[in-house]
Each structure stands twice: as C-alpha cells, then as structure tokens.
Amino acid sequence: MNESESSPRIGQVVRILQGREEGQFAVIIDIVDDRFVLLADGEKRKYDRPKKKNRHHIELLDYISPEVQNSLLETGRVTNGKLRFALSKFVNDFVTDLKKGDQLDG
C-alpha cells in the first residue's frame, strides 16, 4: 500500500489495477484532487479525453517520463505521440528487464 499512499506526479507511469483497462499502463496527465487523477495512454485514451481514475485503483510506478512532464509543465499540453513514446520506452526498458530477471531465477 506504500505506492498508493505516496503522492502521484504529473508524467508518472502507472499500472491500472481495477476496471476495464486492468493491467494496462498509462501516464498521469493531471491531478484532480487528493483522490482522483486523469490518465491517458495516447492510443485508446487520448490526451483530449483522459480517464478520471481513483488513486486506489492504480499502482504508482517509480518512473516519471521527462518528455511528458516537461511538455505539460511548459505548455500545459502533451501530444498523443509523446504519450505513446513514453509508454513504449517504459515497457521496453523496465518490463522486459523484469522478464529477463524472471528467466534467470527460473
């Protein structure tokens, strides 16, 4: 529960734990209040129509996309391409490393 108790940050990658999109990754593009955040992934959930999600239904991961964070802080917007790039970079760098580690243990 430490992940859900820490504060979310703009540009942070999360794993969705509950709902139709369970198991998928998304990026926090806005913090509504202490309970809700807005999520987008650039594909199914575009920047213009983000998903409002309860913080208890997501897992905050230890990765913040600098491209997305800088774009949102400087201009207040981010392109869907940057969101897709950030998520693919995260999946390629971290998720495949976890799979390689699992193979070494087995």
Side-chain angles (χ1 to χ4, degrees), residues 7-10 27-40 50-55 58:
S7 61
R9 299 179 59 192
I10 290 178
V27 179
I28 296 176
I29 60 168
D30 196 13
I31 299 168
V32 178
D33 55 22
D34 60 343
R35 189 169 172 195
F36 291 101
V37 295
L38 295 180
L39 302 176
K51 175 69 177 168
K52 184 178 177 183
K53 201 76 172 155
N54 188 326
R55 284 183 42 196
I58 59 174

Side-chain angles (χ1 to χ4, degrees), residues 40-106:
D41 65 3
E43 287 183 42
K44 186 176 179 185
R45 285 282 171 194
K46 306 278 187 189
Y47 172 80
D48 296 333
R49 295 187 54 101
K51 175 69 177 168
K52 184 178 177 183
K53 201 76 172 155
N54 188 326
R55 284 183 42 196
H56 295 294
H57 296 170
I58 59 174
E59 176 187 358
L60 299 176
L61 302 173
D62 291 335
Y63 180 77
I64 297 175
S65 170
E67 297 91 1
V68 173
Q69 187 178 41
N70 291 339
S71 180
L72 283 168
L73 294 177
E74 289 173 7
T75 64
R77 289 189 53 84
V78 66
T79 63
N80 292 316
K82 276 189 185 174
L83 290 171
R84 289 190 301 270
F85 173 77
L87 287 173
S88 67
K89 183 177 173 185
F90 169 77
V91 168
N92 289 337
D93 292 348
F94 294 98
V95 176
T96 49
D97 287 345
L98 292 176
K99 289 180 182 174
K100 289 177 188 172
D102 290 342
Q103 291 172 354
L104 292 174
D105 292 339

Side-chain angles (χ1 to χ4, degrees), residues 16-27:
I16 300 172
L17 300 176
Q18 302 245 329
R20 182 176 293 171
E21 298 167 349
E22 180 179 344
Q24 295 181 0
F25 298 101
V27 179

